[in-house]
Amino acid sequence: MLEVAHLVGVALLLGNLLLLEARVWGLGAALPVQPLARLSLGLAVLGFGLAAASGLTMFATMPSELLGNRVFTAKMALIALAACNAGWFHGRRSLQRLDGTARALLGVSTLLWLTVLTCGRWIGYV
Ligand code: HEM
């Protein structure tokens, strides 16, 4: 059940980020950015909260194995990097500008979260 909760969280996070990214990249131009961003980022944060809570609970069941797992360490470092990227995106008020940097930072965000997802699946194989 923890893995199910984890994957629901991952789906909410990535699905909503991709929706916002599509809008910032110019798709669905009729949709107003600010309300769409409020909704999609709210759901993405909820998804991350669910993934983090279930992930930390799974971690608590086997901490020493996971702390010795290089892929788990890489996954945590990538999550920290994704948080810095999000801080940069919002710190420069990208949603008010929608310029090339905003598009690039959202692209980097999606790549980082996809790599986090890949590491999550990979943990069990090393
Ligand atoms: C603080 C945040 C997180 C922690 C502590 C955490 C921890 C974990 C742990 C302990 C596992 C089980 C590994 C195993 O035994 O095979 C796992 C699996 C996984 N995680 Fe995370 N995780 C977090 C966030 C995320 C995020 C944000 C994503 C995706 C963007 C993600 C994607 C995955 C995936 C795809 C799996 C494999 C699930 C499966 O095979 O059923 N995790 N995570």
Side-chain angles (χ1 to χ4, degrees):
M1 290 317 288
L2 282 172
E3 297 231 351
V4 171
H6 205 58
L7 290 180
V8 170
V10 171
L12 270 174
L13 170 66
L14 261 159
N16 281 290
L17 282 181
L18 279 176
L19 179 70
L20 181 62
E21 184 174 352
R23 174 62 190 86
V24 169
W25 277 80
L27 294 175
L31 297 169
V33 174
Q34 300 301 334
L36 181 76
R38 265 198 301 279
L39 181 62
S40 77
L41 288 178
L43 289 170
V45 168
L46 184 74
F48 179 76
L50 191 57
S54 52
L56 287 170
T57 313
M58 287 192 280
F59 172 80
T61 65
M62 44 183 174
S64 45
E65 286 97 319
L66 285 169
L67 287 175
N69 185 311
R70 279 173 299 128
V71 180
F72 179 77
T73 314
K75 178 177 163 177
M76 292 301 114
L78 285 162
I79 290 176
L81 214 58
C84 294
N85 187 63
W88 185 5
F89 179 85
H90 292 290
R92 64 183 292 281
R93 306 184 73 75
S94 295
L95 286 170
Q96 274 84 47
R97 303 197 207 175
L98 301 187
D99 54 5
T101 309
R103 286 196 292 277
L105 287 174
L106 267 181
V108 169
S109 160
T110 301
L111 279 179
L112 282 171
W113 289 117
L114 283 174
T115 316
V116 169
L117 182 149
T118 307
C119 286
R121 198 68 263 276
W122 194 359
I123 290 170
Y125 296 97
V126 291

